[in-house]
Amino acid sequence: MKKVKLKNTDLEVSSLNFGGNVFGWTLDEKQSFGILDQIFDAGINFVDTADSYSYWVDGGAGGQSETIIGKWMKNRALREQVVIATKVGGETGLHPIDTSKKHILKTVDESLKRLQTDYIDLYYTHFDDGVTPVEETLEAYDQIIKAGKVRYIAASNVTPERLIQSFEASEKYNLPKYVALQPHYNLVVREQFEKQYTPLVEQYDLSVFTYWSLEAGFLTGKYQTEADFENTARGKGIKKHFNDRGKNILNALDAIAKKHHTTPTTIALSWLLTNPLVTAPIVSTTKDNQLQALLAVSQVVLDQADLEILAKASAY
């Protein structure tokens, strides 16, 4: 698996970022260990999680995913070989979205304990509460970076306006700067990232790790009829995409996949990686055969004709 440099850091990460929201949710601990072993053996050294994953299982505090990852790293003695990204600020069953200094200082220690590590490589503002002054959030990050608990910080669900304010505050008060952005971006959901965030990614020299890179499975091609959306945990939430544009995208992916003797999953991820601003898509799976489709992205090169077909199908 190709390795890429995370901008403005000394971190080298795989060109696929494995999403750990499945750990403790659709995968139990034993199954999670199996998938983690496979991705590591395949060269994926970059694992993404959050303190809130997966609070929706029981409506509680979350932490299941971090706990499983922490046990796996300790059991396999792999901490120094794995780049861990986790997040703070997101809602759980016990608290709303919160990016206050008090919350961050408390929560980072809880994440470290669950992950069984002394430091977090990349720490995200998962969601922005929109109320806490950005300099307060950054002051919390400054404190935990100086304490050696976090190496670098990043932003996920932060509006363009608050992102700009954060960089201005970092400059004004000599506080840490975000080094990466985690946006919702894929062939179906393009407009917000391309119009609102791309200029900021370029201006602030950010690495980009896209979440919902396959739009919760929509782009894998497994949804072919209206009825298919009723049979999965995530189907109802993405059924809205099964319109003329969505069907055109699926047909384009299917045709290009056949041309390259691969899967729609592989083509959808390859398309993301043709964007020079995308550092590594976040991907996830619960099954071995799905994992192979993810890993195959390193063998596929889309040509100009492929890109034109996908551009036309996914135009907004």
Side-chain angles (χ1 to χ4, degrees), residues 12-72:
E12 270 202 343
V13 299
S14 49
S15 56
L16 289 178
N17 184 183
F18 195 84
N21 65 334
V22 293
F23 303 143
W25 176 25
T26 49
L27 293 177
D28 62 23
E29 184 176 303
K30 182 180 179 181
Q31 293 166 326
S32 298
F33 273 38
I35 289 288
L36 283 163
D37 285 340
Q38 288 182 72
I39 66 165
F40 185 77
D41 289 344
I44 297 177
N45 72 332
F46 192 17
V47 179
D48 179 271
T49 185
D51 63 344
S52 59
Y53 298 161
S54 304
Y55 84 89
W56 51 86
V57 172
D58 57 11
Q64 295 96 324
S65 176
E66 288 182 333
T67 298
I68 287 172
I69 292 167
K71 287 182 179 179
W72 173 75

Side-chain angles (χ1 to χ4, degrees), residues 292-306:
Q292 296 313 308
L294 303 179
L295 298 174
V297 72
S298 59
Q299 277 99 48
V300 173
V301 179
L302 300 181
D303 59 33
Q304 191 58 38
D306 299 330

Side-chain angles (χ1 to χ4, degrees), residues 111-177:
S111 287
L112 288 168
K113 185 177 180 180
R114 286 190 292 263
L115 288 164
Q116 301 191 51
T117 183
D118 297 327
Y119 66 95
I120 293 161
D121 297 292
L122 190 63
Y123 201 40
Y124 282 95
T125 298
H126 195 178
F127 289 87
D128 177 15
D129 64 20
V131 177
T132 301
V134 294
E135 55 269 28
E136 178 183 328
T137 300
L138 293 169
E139 285 168 2
Y141 290 146
D142 188 47
Q143 187 170 327
I144 59 181
I145 288 172
K146 286 176 177 174
K149 297 177 181 180
V150 166
R151 298 186 67 191
Y152 303 101
I153 58 169
S156 187
N157 299 284
V158 178
T159 65
E161 295 75 21
R162 291 272 284 184
L163 204 54
I164 292 168
Q165 290 172 22
S166 297
F167 278 101
E168 290 174 345
S170 296
E171 199 66 41
K172 182 177 180 180
Y173 300 110
N174 193 31
L175 293 168
K177 294 179 180 178

